[in-house]
Amino acid sequence: VAACSYLAVKNNPHFRNLRAVEFCLNIESGSLKVIWVTYQIITSASFTLEIQFPSPFSNMLSFLSVFSFDFLAFECLKTRENAYFATTYIWCMLPILIAFLTGVFGLLRALSTHLKGLNQTEKETKLEKIANQHIWLFLFFTYLVLPPVTNKQLQIFDCVTLYSGESYLRKETSIDCASSEYYEFLVVVILFIIIYQMIPIIWFFALFRKRSELNPKVPASSDAETQAMIIRNENETLAPIRFLYYDYKCNKWWFEIVDMYRRIVFIGIVPLVSSIPTTRASFGCLFAIVSVAYYREERPYRVEFTNTIAHIAQFCILITFYAALTIETKSMINFGLEHEKLGLFLVLVNLVITTLSCWLAYKGFRMQKKQNELKKYKSTFNEDARGFNPNKFNTTFQAIWKHSIPASHTLVFHYTSHQLALQARQSGLPAQRCFNGIPFTLRQPHSAVAHDFDVFGVSNERGCSSRGSSSSDSSSRSSNSS
Protein backbone atom coordinates (compact mmCIF):
# COMPACT_ATOMS: atom_id res chain seq x y z
CA VAL A 1 0.00 0.00 0.00
CA ALA A 2 2.80 2.41 0.93
CA ALA A 3 4.73 1.64 -2.27
CA CYS A 4 1.67 2.02 -4.52
CA SER A 5 0.71 5.28 -2.79
CA TYR A 6 4.26 6.59 -3.26
CA LEU A 7 4.24 5.76 -7.00
CA ALA A 8 0.77 7.28 -7.44
CA VAL A 9 1.76 10.54 -5.74
CA LYS A 10 5.12 10.71 -7.49
CA ASN A 11 3.61 10.25 -10.95
CA ASN A 12 0.63 12.57 -10.45
CA PRO A 13 1.48 16.25 -11.11
CA HIS A 14 -1.55 17.42 -9.11
CA PHE A 15 -0.30 15.76 -5.93
CA ARG A 16 3.34 16.62 -6.57
CA ASN A 17 2.50 20.33 -6.61
CA LEU A 18 1.06 20.24 -3.08
CA ARG A 19 3.52 21.87 -0.68
CA ALA A 20 3.30 19.09 1.91
CA VAL A 21 3.85 16.39 -0.74
CA GLU A 22 6.66 18.40 -2.32
CA PHE A 23 8.35 18.65 1.07
CA CYS A 24 7.99 14.90 1.74
CA LEU A 25 9.39 14.00 -1.68
CA ASN A 26 12.45 16.11 -0.86
CA ILE A 27 13.33 13.81 2.05
CA GLU A 28 16.44 12.03 0.83
CA SER A 29 15.68 8.34 0.23
CA GLY A 30 18.88 7.27 1.99
CA SER A 31 17.76 9.11 5.11
CA LEU A 32 14.40 7.33 4.97
CA LYS A 33 16.22 3.99 4.87
CA VAL A 34 18.31 4.99 7.87
CA ILE A 35 15.18 5.99 9.82
CA TRP A 36 13.33 2.78 8.90
CA VAL A 37 16.24 0.47 9.76
CA THR A 38 17.05 2.24 13.04
CA TYR A 39 13.49 2.26 14.34
CA GLN A 40 12.97 -1.34 13.22
CA ILE A 41 15.96 -2.39 15.35
CA ILE A 42 14.97 -0.21 18.33
CA THR A 43 11.32 -1.35 18.40
CA SER A 44 12.45 -4.98 18.46
CA ALA A 45 14.69 -4.33 21.51
CA SER A 46 11.88 -4.80 24.02
CA PHE A 47 11.25 -8.41 22.97
CA THR A 48 14.88 -9.09 22.03
CA LEU A 49 16.11 -8.13 25.48
CA GLU A 50 12.99 -9.27 27.36
CA ILE A 51 12.61 -5.91 29.06
CA GLN A 52 9.96 -3.29 29.71
CA PHE A 53 11.33 0.17 28.98
CA PRO A 54 10.09 3.06 31.14
CA SER A 55 7.44 5.50 30.00
CA PRO A 56 7.32 7.61 27.81
CA PHE A 57 9.82 5.58 25.76
CA SER A 58 7.64 2.46 26.01
CA ASN A 59 4.75 4.50 24.55
CA MET A 60 7.04 5.63 21.73
CA LEU A 61 7.97 2.00 21.00
CA SER A 62 4.28 1.08 20.81
CA PHE A 63 3.75 3.88 18.31
CA LEU A 64 6.77 2.80 16.27
CA SER A 65 5.67 -0.85 16.19
CA VAL A 66 4.61 -0.21 12.58
CA PHE A 67 8.29 -0.51 11.62
CA SER A 68 8.33 -4.13 12.80
CA PHE A 69 4.72 -4.85 11.74
CA ASP A 70 3.89 -5.78 15.34
CA PHE A 71 0.45 -4.24 14.88
CA LEU A 72 -0.48 -7.36 12.88
CA ALA A 73 -1.97 -9.33 15.77
CA PHE A 74 -2.42 -12.71 14.09
CA GLU A 75 -2.26 -14.29 17.54
CA CYS A 76 -5.89 -13.24 18.01
CA LEU A 77 -7.03 -15.66 15.30
CA LYS A 78 -8.97 -18.67 16.53
CA THR A 79 -7.62 -21.87 15.02
CA ARG A 80 -7.95 -25.60 15.67
CA GLU A 81 -4.21 -26.01 16.23
CA ASN A 82 -1.86 -24.04 18.48
CA ALA A 83 -2.29 -20.32 17.84
CA TYR A 84 1.48 -19.79 17.79
CA PHE A 85 1.94 -22.34 14.99
CA ALA A 86 -0.84 -20.72 12.95
CA THR A 87 0.60 -17.25 13.52
CA THR A 88 4.08 -18.29 12.36
CA TYR A 89 2.64 -19.97 9.25
CA ILE A 90 0.76 -16.77 8.41
CA TRP A 91 3.89 -14.66 8.87
CA CYS A 92 5.77 -17.01 6.54
CA MET A 93 3.07 -17.40 3.88
CA LEU A 94 1.52 -13.94 3.68
CA PRO A 95 4.56 -12.12 2.18
CA ILE A 96 4.94 -14.90 -0.41
CA LEU A 97 1.26 -14.54 -1.32
CA ILE A 98 1.56 -10.74 -1.63
CA ALA A 99 4.68 -11.07 -3.80
CA PHE A 100 2.87 -13.63 -5.99
CA LEU A 101 -0.17 -11.35 -6.41
CA THR A 102 2.14 -8.45 -7.31
CA GLY A 103 3.65 -10.60 -10.05
CA VAL A 104 0.21 -11.67 -11.31
CA PHE A 105 -0.92 -8.03 -11.41
CA GLY A 106 2.20 -7.18 -13.42
CA LEU A 107 1.43 -9.96 -15.91
CA LEU A 108 -2.15 -8.68 -16.28
CA ARG A 109 -0.85 -5.17 -16.98
CA ALA A 110 1.57 -6.59 -19.56
CA LEU A 111 -1.26 -8.56 -21.21
CA SER A 112 -3.41 -5.41 -21.30
CA THR A 113 -0.54 -3.57 -23.02
CA HIS A 114 -0.31 -6.29 -25.68
CA LEU A 115 -4.05 -5.97 -26.39
CA LYS A 116 -4.02 -2.17 -26.80
CA GLY A 117 -2.66 -2.31 -30.35
CA LEU A 118 0.35 -0.08 -29.72
CA ASN A 119 3.22 0.02 -32.20
CA GLN A 120 6.30 -2.06 -31.42
CA THR A 121 8.35 0.79 -29.94
CA GLU A 122 5.55 2.03 -27.67
CA LYS A 123 4.76 -1.52 -26.60
CA GLU A 124 8.37 -2.30 -25.67
CA THR A 125 8.68 0.98 -23.74
CA LYS A 126 5.45 0.34 -21.84
CA LEU A 127 6.36 -3.28 -21.03
CA GLU A 128 9.81 -2.22 -19.81
CA LYS A 129 8.22 0.40 -17.56
CA ILE A 130 5.77 -2.16 -16.11
CA ALA A 131 8.58 -4.65 -15.47
CA ASN A 132 10.72 -2.02 -13.74
CA GLN A 133 7.82 -0.91 -11.53
CA HIS A 134 7.00 -4.43 -10.35
CA ILE A 135 10.62 -5.39 -9.75
CA TRP A 136 10.95 -2.19 -7.70
CA LEU A 137 7.82 -3.16 -5.73
CA PHE A 138 9.22 -6.64 -5.06
CA LEU A 139 12.58 -5.27 -3.86
CA PHE A 140 10.87 -2.63 -1.72
CA PHE A 141 8.50 -5.18 -0.19
CA THR A 142 11.24 -7.69 0.65
CA TYR A 143 13.33 -4.86 2.11
CA LEU A 144 10.50 -4.03 4.52
CA VAL A 145 9.39 -7.51 5.61
CA LEU A 146 12.51 -9.70 5.60
CA PRO A 147 13.88 -8.76 9.08
CA PRO A 148 10.57 -8.99 11.01
CA VAL A 149 9.62 -12.24 9.26
CA THR A 150 13.07 -13.66 10.02
CA ASN A 151 12.57 -12.64 13.64
CA LYS A 152 9.29 -14.58 13.81
CA GLN A 153 10.94 -17.61 12.19
CA LEU A 154 14.01 -17.65 14.45
CA GLN A 155 11.83 -17.49 17.57
CA ILE A 156 11.24 -21.22 17.04
CA PHE A 157 14.82 -21.88 18.25
CA ASP A 158 14.43 -19.79 21.41
CA CYS A 159 13.68 -22.42 24.04
CA VAL A 160 13.96 -21.90 27.80
CA THR A 161 15.26 -24.82 29.88
CA LEU A 162 13.88 -25.18 33.42
CA TYR A 163 15.67 -26.62 36.45
CA SER A 164 13.76 -29.84 35.91
CA GLY A 165 15.42 -30.24 32.52
CA GLU A 166 12.25 -29.57 30.55
CA SER A 167 12.41 -26.89 27.85
CA TYR A 168 9.64 -24.72 26.52
CA LEU A 169 9.38 -22.11 23.80
CA ARG A 170 10.00 -18.66 25.26
CA LYS A 171 7.42 -17.03 22.99
CA GLU A 172 4.76 -19.66 23.75
CA THR A 173 5.43 -21.61 26.94
CA SER A 174 2.66 -24.11 26.22
CA ILE A 175 4.87 -25.66 23.52
CA ASP A 176 7.27 -28.35 24.69
CA CYS A 177 10.55 -28.11 22.74
CA ALA A 178 10.99 -31.89 23.07
CA SER A 179 7.61 -32.83 21.59
CA SER A 180 7.12 -34.40 18.16
CA GLU A 181 4.68 -31.62 17.29
CA TYR A 182 7.45 -29.07 17.86
CA TYR A 183 9.95 -30.95 15.65
CA GLU A 184 7.43 -31.25 12.80
CA PHE A 185 6.84 -27.51 13.04
CA LEU A 186 10.61 -26.90 13.20
CA VAL A 187 11.23 -28.71 9.88
CA VAL A 188 8.64 -26.57 8.06
CA VAL A 189 9.97 -23.30 9.51
CA ILE A 190 13.56 -24.20 8.56
CA LEU A 191 12.41 -24.59 4.94
CA PHE A 192 10.85 -21.12 5.10
CA ILE A 193 14.04 -19.72 6.64
CA ILE A 194 16.06 -21.08 3.71
CA ILE A 195 13.62 -19.54 1.22
CA TYR A 196 13.68 -16.12 2.88
CA GLN A 197 17.46 -16.06 3.38
CA MET A 198 17.88 -16.63 -0.35
CA ILE A 199 16.48 -13.15 -0.96
CA PRO A 200 19.65 -11.17 -0.02
CA ILE A 201 21.69 -13.72 -1.98
CA ILE A 202 19.51 -13.05 -5.04
CA TRP A 203 20.04 -9.32 -4.45
CA PHE A 204 23.80 -9.85 -4.38
CA PHE A 205 23.94 -11.81 -7.64
CA ALA A 206 21.66 -9.27 -9.36
CA LEU A 207 24.11 -6.54 -8.32
CA PHE A 208 27.29 -8.57 -8.84
CA ARG A 209 26.57 -9.30 -12.50
CA LYS A 210 26.24 -5.54 -13.07
CA ARG A 211 29.18 -4.51 -10.88
CA SER A 212 31.19 -2.92 -13.72
CA GLU A 213 28.20 -0.71 -14.61
CA LEU A 214 27.41 0.04 -10.97
CA ASN A 215 30.98 1.22 -10.42
CA PRO A 216 32.06 2.58 -13.83
CA LYS A 217 35.70 3.44 -14.38
CA VAL A 218 36.38 7.13 -15.07
CA PRO A 219 39.64 9.08 -15.43
CA ALA A 220 41.15 10.04 -12.10
CA SER A 221 40.16 13.59 -11.13
CA SER A 222 38.81 15.58 -8.20
CA ASP A 223 35.21 14.86 -9.25
CA ALA A 224 35.70 11.29 -10.51
CA GLU A 225 33.20 9.94 -7.97
CA THR A 226 30.53 12.39 -9.12
CA GLN A 227 31.16 11.55 -12.78
CA ALA A 228 30.92 7.82 -12.06
CA MET A 229 27.65 8.36 -10.19
CA ILE A 230 26.17 10.34 -13.10
CA ILE A 231 27.13 7.59 -15.56
CA ARG A 232 25.65 4.94 -13.27
CA ASN A 233 22.38 6.78 -12.63
CA GLU A 234 21.83 7.47 -16.34
CA ASN A 235 22.27 3.79 -17.24
CA GLU A 236 18.75 2.61 -18.08
CA THR A 237 19.74 -1.07 -17.96
CA LEU A 238 20.19 -0.71 -14.18
CA ALA A 239 16.67 0.66 -13.63
CA PRO A 240 15.14 -2.64 -12.36
CA ILE A 241 17.60 -2.87 -9.42
CA ARG A 242 17.80 0.87 -8.76
CA PHE A 243 16.30 0.47 -5.28
CA LEU A 244 19.30 -1.60 -4.16
CA TYR A 245 22.11 0.75 -5.19
CA TYR A 246 20.84 4.29 -5.76
CA ASP A 247 21.44 5.63 -2.25
CA TYR A 248 25.02 4.37 -2.07
CA LYS A 249 28.36 5.36 -3.56
CA CYS A 250 29.43 3.55 -6.72
CA ASN A 251 32.07 1.45 -4.96
CA LYS A 252 29.55 0.53 -2.23
CA TRP A 253 27.03 -1.13 -4.56
CA TRP A 254 26.99 -4.19 -2.25
CA PHE A 255 26.13 -2.31 0.95
CA GLU A 256 22.38 -3.06 0.97
CA ILE A 257 23.10 -6.77 1.46
CA VAL A 258 25.49 -6.09 4.36
CA ASP A 259 22.98 -3.78 6.02
CA MET A 260 20.20 -6.33 5.61
CA TYR A 261 22.19 -8.98 7.48
CA ARG A 262 23.09 -6.40 10.13
CA ARG A 263 19.37 -5.85 10.71
CA ILE A 264 18.77 -9.60 10.89
CA VAL A 265 21.50 -9.98 13.52
CA PHE A 266 20.00 -7.22 15.71
CA ILE A 267 16.40 -8.39 15.30
CA GLY A 268 16.69 -12.16 14.96
CA ILE A 269 20.09 -13.40 16.20
CA VAL A 270 20.53 -11.37 19.40
CA PRO A 271 17.58 -13.14 21.17
CA LEU A 272 19.32 -16.50 20.51
CA VAL A 273 22.69 -15.50 21.95
CA SER A 274 21.72 -16.37 25.51
CA SER A 275 18.74 -17.02 27.74
CA ILE A 276 20.06 -14.32 30.10
CA PRO A 277 18.76 -10.80 29.19
CA THR A 278 21.90 -9.02 30.41
CA THR A 279 24.06 -11.19 28.13
CA ARG A 280 21.82 -10.36 25.18
CA ALA A 281 21.96 -6.64 26.03
CA SER A 282 25.76 -6.81 26.32
CA PHE A 283 26.03 -8.52 22.93
CA GLY A 284 23.71 -5.88 21.46
CA CYS A 285 25.93 -3.10 22.85
CA LEU A 286 29.03 -4.77 21.43
CA PHE A 287 27.48 -5.18 17.99
CA ALA A 288 26.24 -1.57 18.09
CA ILE A 289 29.80 -0.39 18.83
CA VAL A 290 31.01 -2.37 15.80
CA SER A 291 28.28 -0.68 13.72
CA VAL A 292 29.35 2.77 14.94
CA ALA A 293 32.95 2.14 13.89
CA TYR A 294 31.90 0.52 10.59
CA TYR A 295 29.65 3.40 9.50
CA ARG A 296 32.27 5.94 10.52
CA GLU A 297 34.92 4.28 8.34
CA GLU A 298 32.81 3.20 5.35
CA ARG A 299 30.48 6.21 4.94
CA PRO A 300 28.58 4.31 2.22
CA TYR A 301 25.83 6.80 1.31
CA ARG A 302 26.19 9.05 -1.74
CA VAL A 303 24.81 12.06 0.19
CA GLU A 304 27.39 13.02 2.80
CA PHE A 305 24.86 14.34 5.31
CA THR A 306 23.06 10.96 5.19
CA ASN A 307 26.33 9.35 6.30
CA THR A 308 26.28 11.67 9.32
CA ILE A 309 22.67 10.70 10.10
CA ALA A 310 23.53 6.99 9.74
CA HIS A 311 26.53 7.38 12.06
CA ILE A 312 24.38 9.13 14.69
CA ALA A 313 21.71 6.41 14.27
CA GLN A 314 24.23 3.77 15.39
CA PHE A 315 24.79 5.76 18.59
CA CYS A 316 21.00 5.81 19.12
CA ILE A 317 20.94 2.00 18.89
CA LEU A 318 23.94 1.75 21.22
CA ILE A 319 22.36 4.05 23.81
CA THR A 320 19.09 2.09 23.68
CA PHE A 321 20.82 -1.25 24.27
CA TYR A 322 23.03 0.23 26.98
CA ALA A 323 19.97 1.72 28.70
CA ALA A 324 18.40 -1.75 28.67
CA LEU A 325 21.56 -3.12 30.25
CA THR A 326 21.44 -0.52 33.03
CA ILE A 327 17.78 -1.36 33.68
CA GLU A 328 18.52 -5.10 33.86
CA THR A 329 21.48 -4.61 36.19
CA LYS A 330 19.60 -1.95 38.21
CA SER A 331 22.55 0.41 37.87
CA MET A 332 20.47 3.46 36.88
CA ILE A 333 20.77 4.78 40.42
CA ASN A 334 24.51 5.20 39.88
CA PHE A 335 23.72 7.64 37.07
CA GLY A 336 21.11 9.49 39.11
CA LEU A 337 18.39 8.57 36.62
CA GLU A 338 14.84 7.70 37.56
CA HIS A 339 12.69 5.56 35.28
CA GLU A 340 10.72 8.50 33.88
CA LYS A 341 13.84 10.57 33.25
CA LEU A 342 15.52 7.67 31.47
CA GLY A 343 12.41 7.14 29.35
CA LEU A 344 12.32 10.82 28.37
CA PHE A 345 16.05 10.76 27.61
CA LEU A 346 15.62 7.76 25.28
CA VAL A 347 12.74 9.48 23.48
CA LEU A 348 14.87 12.57 22.83
CA VAL A 349 17.86 10.50 21.70
CA ASN A 350 15.81 8.46 19.23
CA LEU A 351 14.12 11.53 17.75
CA VAL A 352 17.47 12.98 16.68
CA ILE A 353 17.71 11.11 13.37
CA THR A 354 14.14 12.06 12.39
CA THR A 355 14.81 15.70 13.23
CA LEU A 356 18.03 15.75 11.20
CA SER A 357 16.33 14.08 8.22
CA CYS A 358 13.49 16.64 8.29
CA TRP A 359 16.03 19.44 8.47
CA LEU A 360 17.84 18.01 5.45
CA ALA A 361 14.50 17.71 3.62
CA TYR A 362 13.71 21.33 4.45
CA LYS A 363 17.05 22.41 2.98
CA GLY A 364 16.29 20.40 -0.16
CA PHE A 365 12.81 21.92 -0.30
CA ARG A 366 14.24 25.44 -0.14
CA MET A 367 16.81 24.62 -2.80
CA GLN A 368 14.12 23.16 -5.04
CA LYS A 369 12.08 26.35 -4.67
CA LYS A 370 15.09 28.41 -5.75
CA GLN A 371 15.59 26.17 -8.78
CA ASN A 372 11.91 26.54 -9.66
CA GLU A 373 12.32 30.31 -9.46
CA LEU A 374 15.26 30.08 -11.85
CA LYS A 375 13.14 28.09 -14.29
CA LYS A 376 10.77 31.04 -14.53
CA TYR A 377 13.47 32.77 -16.50
CA LYS A 378 13.04 30.37 -19.40
CA SER A 379 12.40 31.86 -22.82
CA THR A 380 9.14 33.73 -22.25
CA PHE A 381 9.38 36.11 -25.20
CA ASN A 382 11.09 36.39 -28.58
CA GLU A 383 13.15 39.42 -29.47
CA ASP A 384 14.25 40.35 -32.97
CA ALA A 385 18.01 40.44 -32.50
CA ARG A 386 19.05 41.04 -36.13
CA GLY A 387 20.05 44.60 -35.34
CA PHE A 388 22.12 43.77 -32.27
CA ASN A 389 25.82 44.59 -32.35
CA PRO A 390 28.37 42.31 -30.62
CA ASN A 391 28.34 44.45 -27.48
CA LYS A 392 24.55 44.27 -27.20
CA PHE A 393 24.69 40.49 -27.55
CA ASN A 394 27.35 40.24 -24.87
CA THR A 395 25.46 42.36 -22.34
CA THR A 396 22.23 40.43 -23.05
CA PHE A 397 23.85 37.05 -22.52
CA GLN A 398 25.72 38.25 -19.45
CA ALA A 399 22.36 39.15 -17.91
CA ILE A 400 20.97 35.72 -18.85
CA TRP A 401 23.95 33.94 -17.30
CA LYS A 402 23.63 35.96 -14.13
CA HIS A 403 19.89 35.59 -13.54
CA SER A 404 18.68 32.52 -15.43
CA ILE A 405 21.30 29.79 -15.49
CA PRO A 406 22.40 27.87 -12.38
CA ALA A 407 25.99 26.69 -12.03
CA SER A 408 25.05 23.17 -13.17
CA HIS A 409 23.84 24.42 -16.59
CA THR A 410 25.38 25.85 -19.75
CA LEU A 411 23.92 28.37 -22.20
CA VAL A 412 23.87 26.92 -25.74
CA PHE A 413 22.59 28.27 -29.06
CA HIS A 414 20.29 26.88 -31.73
CA TYR A 415 19.84 28.91 -34.91
CA THR A 416 16.59 28.74 -36.82
CA SER A 417 14.10 30.90 -38.71
CA HIS A 418 11.80 33.34 -36.98
CA GLN A 419 8.76 31.23 -37.81
CA LEU A 420 10.29 28.03 -36.44
CA ALA A 421 11.44 29.92 -33.34
CA LEU A 422 7.84 30.93 -32.66
CA GLN A 423 6.76 27.30 -33.03
CA ALA A 424 9.53 26.19 -30.67
CA ARG A 425 8.13 28.48 -27.99
CA GLN A 426 4.90 26.49 -28.06
CA SER A 427 6.13 22.91 -28.42
CA GLY A 428 9.88 22.93 -27.79
CA LEU A 429 12.66 22.26 -30.25
CA PRO A 430 11.98 19.16 -32.38
CA ALA A 431 14.51 16.34 -32.29
CA GLN A 432 15.75 15.70 -35.86
CA ARG A 433 16.47 12.25 -37.22
CA CYS A 434 19.45 13.24 -39.38
CA PHE A 435 21.18 14.72 -36.29
CA ASN A 436 19.91 12.04 -33.90
CA GLY A 437 18.68 14.84 -31.66
CA ILE A 438 18.84 18.66 -31.58
CA PRO A 439 21.89 20.47 -33.02
CA PHE A 440 23.32 23.30 -30.94
CA THR A 441 26.53 25.28 -30.62
CA LEU A 442 28.37 27.07 -27.83
CA ARG A 443 29.19 29.99 -30.13
CA GLN A 444 27.21 33.23 -29.91
CA PRO A 445 25.82 34.79 -33.12
CA HIS A 446 28.76 37.14 -33.74
CA SER A 447 31.24 34.37 -32.92
CA ALA A 448 29.63 31.70 -35.12
CA VAL A 449 31.67 30.20 -37.95
CA ALA A 450 30.69 28.97 -41.39
CA HIS A 451 30.38 25.38 -40.18
CA ASP A 452 27.68 26.44 -37.69
CA PHE A 453 25.54 27.98 -40.41
CA ASP A 454 26.09 24.98 -42.68
CA VAL A 455 24.81 22.69 -39.94
CA PHE A 456 21.79 24.82 -39.10
CA GLY A 457 21.15 25.39 -42.79
CA VAL A 458 20.76 21.63 -43.19
CA SER A 459 18.50 21.63 -40.16
CA ASN A 460 16.18 24.40 -41.32
CA GLU A 461 16.37 24.77 -45.12
CA ARG A 462 16.76 21.22 -46.39
CA GLY A 463 13.81 19.80 -44.49
CA CYS A 464 15.55 17.50 -42.02
CA SER A 465 12.66 15.43 -40.67
CA SER A 466 11.84 15.53 -36.97
CA ARG A 467 10.86 12.66 -34.70
CA GLY A 468 8.66 14.21 -32.10
CA SER A 469 9.37 17.23 -29.98
CA SER A 470 10.97 17.73 -26.64
CA SER A 471 10.56 20.59 -24.22
CA SER A 472 13.78 22.45 -23.49
CA ASP A 473 15.10 24.23 -20.42
CA SER A 474 17.69 26.96 -20.08
CA SER A 475 20.48 24.47 -20.70
CA SER A 476 19.29 23.60 -24.24
CA ARG A 477 17.19 26.47 -25.57
CA SER A 478 18.41 29.48 -27.49
CA SER A 479 17.62 32.80 -25.87
CA ASN A 480 16.82 34.51 -29.18
CA SER A 481 16.10 33.78 -32.80
CA SER A 482 18.28 34.55 -35.79
Side-chain angles (χ1 to χ4, degrees):
V1 172
C4 292
S5 301
Y6 170 76
L7 290 174
V9 170
K10 185 177 180 181
N11 296 322
N12 190 314
H14 175 72
F15 287 114
R16 283 181 62 89
N17 292 333
L18 297 175
R19 289 179 66 88
V21 172
E22 189 178 354
F23 175 80
C24 292
L25 291 177
N26 271 285
I27 299 178
E28 206 274 316
S29 55
S31 298
L32 288 177
K33 283 187 175 181
V34 172
I35 291 173
W36 182 272
V37 169
T38 304
Y39 286 158
Q40 196 171 65
I41 293 171
I42 289 171
T43 52
S44 68
S46 185
F47 170 79
T48 299
L49 306 177
E50 214 171 351
I51 186 175
Q52 177 65 39
F53 284 100
S55 180
F57 186 58
S58 59
N59 298 331
M60 179 182 177
L61 292 180
S62 298
F63 176 75
L64 295 177
S65 63
V66 63
F67 290 93
S68 295
F69 300 100
D70 285 341
F71 60 91
L72 300 175
F74 297 130
E75 292 84 353
C76 300
L77 296 175
K78 294 182 178 180
T79 59
R80 294 180 181 178
E81 58 182 84
N82 190 291
Y84 177 77
F85 290 164
T87 299
T88 305
Y89 285 138
I90 293 173
W91 271 99
C92 292
M93 290 297 299
L94 188 59
I96 296 175
L97 177 61
I98 294 174
F100 174 75
L101 292 177
T102 302
V104 170
F105 182 56
L107 290 175
L108 291 176
R109 290 181 65 193
L111 179 62
S112 173
T113 301
H114 276 290
L115 298 176
K116 283 183 178 178
L118 303 174
N119 62 49
Q120 189 64 25
T121 303
E122 291 176 334
K123 186 184 295 183
E124 290 177 357
T125 302
K126 184 70 173 177
L127 290 175
E128 183 180 3
K129 183 178 179 181
I130 291 172
N132 289 345
Q133 286 178 346
H134 284 266
I135 292 173
W136 184 91
L137 282 171
F138 173 78
L139 295 174
F140 177 74
F141 179 64
T142 54
Y143 173 86
L144 296 182
V145 304
L146 183 55
V149 171
T150 301
N151 171 256
K152 299 295 182 183
Q153 293 171 341
L154 293 179
Q155 287 174 8
I156 192 65
F157 298 102
D158 192 6
C159 292
V160 179
T161 303
L162 304 180
Y163 289 108
S164 60
E166 297 176 324
S167 62
Y168 296 92
L169 204 62
R170 180 161 72 95
K171 181 67 176 178
E172 179 55 67
T173 53
S174 65
I175 298 176
D176 186 353
C177 290
S179 65
S180 58
E181 185 183 31
Y182 168 80
Y183 281 109
E184 291 174 2
F185 178 62
L186 182 63
V187 170
V188 177
V189 173
I190 288 175
L191 291 176
F192 278 116
I193 290 173
I194 294 172
I195 293 171
Y196 275 90
Q197 295 313 307
M198 287 294 292
I199 292 174
I201 297 173
I202 293 171
W203 289 2
F204 176 77
F205 280 108
L207 293 168
F208 184 76
R209 61 191 293 269
K210 295 282 187 179
R211 62 191 182 281
S212 58
E213 298 169 63
L214 291 168
N215 188 21
K217 294 181 179 180
V218 296
S221 64
S222 58
D223 62 341
E225 187 175 312
T226 302
Q227 292 178 22
M229 205 170 296
I230 291 173
I231 294 171
R232 180 194 70 178
N233 293 342
E234 290 180 349
N235 190 338
E236 291 299 324
T237 63
L238 299 175
I241 56 174
R242 184 183 178 90
F243 179 81
L244 298 177
Y245 71 81
Y246 179 72
D247 297 304
Y248 305 106
K249 296 175 182 176
C250 292
N251 61 342
K252 299 292 188 299
W253 53 265
W254 40 265
F255 191 81
E256 194 68 79
I257 291 89
V258 173
D259 196 52
M260 174 56 72
Y261 281 119
R262 183 181 71 91
R263 293 160 64 190
I264 290 174
V265 169
F266 269 118
I267 296 173
I269 302 299
V270 171
L272 305 179
V273 170
S274 172
S275 59
I276 304 172
T278 52
T279 304
R280 293 199 293 267
S282 300
F283 180 83
C285 288
L286 179 62
F287 195 62
I289 292 172
V290 172
S291 296
V292 168
Y294 185 72
Y295 271 85
R296 183 193 64 192
E297 296 301 322
E298 287 294 327
R299 303 190 73 79
Y301 292 94
R302 61 183 178 84
V303 177
E304 192 56 35
F305 193 77
T306 303
N307 285 314
T308 303
I309 295 174
H311 192 204
I312 294 172
Q314 308 318 305
F315 280 104
C316 295
I317 296 172
L318 173 59
I319 291 171
T320 302
F321 275 83
Y322 186 73
L325 185 61
T326 61
I327 293 172
E328 286 290 342
T329 56
K330 305 186 186 305
S331 58
M332 286 192 306
I333 301 174
N334 298 332
F335 295 93
L337 284 174
E338 300 173 0
H339 274 271
E340 292 75 13
K341 290 181 180 179
L342 178 62
L344 181 60
F345 172 73
L346 290 173
V347 168
L348 295 176
V349 164
N350 286 288
L351 285 177
V352 168
I353 55 173
T354 305
T355 305
L356 289 175
S357 298
C358 290
W359 179 74
L360 181 62
Y362 177 71
K363 283 186 64 178
F365 178 67
R366 291 289 300 273
M367 188 178 297
Q368 187 66 42
K369 283 189 65 177
K370 287 183 179 180
Q371 290 177 352
N372 291 339
E373 288 296 321
L374 289 174
K375 289 179 181 179
K376 292 181 181 179
Y377 290 97
K378 285 184 179 180
S379 178
T380 55
F381 64 95
N382 281 359
E383 185 173 358
D384 191 340
R386 288 172 292 182
F388 282 14
N389 57 39
N391 183 59
K392 176 64 174 173
F393 271 115
N394 286 334
T395 55
T396 300
F397 293 135
Q398 287 292 338
I400 292 171
W401 283 322
K402 182 178 180 181
H403 298 290
S404 304
I405 303 181
S408 58
H409 288 57
T410 300
L411 182 65
V412 297
F413 301 88
H414 176 87
Y415 297 103
T416 185
S417 67
H418 186 263
Q419 181 180 0
L420 292 177
L422 290 174
Q423 293 177 7
R425 282 193 60 200
Q426 302 298 321
S427 57
L429 295 172
Q432 296 167 338
R433 182 169 285 105
C434 58
F435 289 104
N436 197 30
I438 302 172
F440 65 88
T441 178
L442 297 176
R443 286 184 279 270
Q444 298 182 19
H446 283 74
S447 303
V449 297
H451 175 69
D452 293 322
F453 295 111
D454 289 341
V455 170
F456 290 104
V458 170
S459 173
N460 299 306
E461 296 176 8
R462 300 180 191 176
C464 179
S465 61
S466 63
R467 53 176 185 186
S469 60
S470 61
S471 57
S472 307
D473 60 14
S474 57
S475 65
S476 61
R477 178 178 292 184
S478 170
S479 61
N480 68 344
S481 59
S482 60

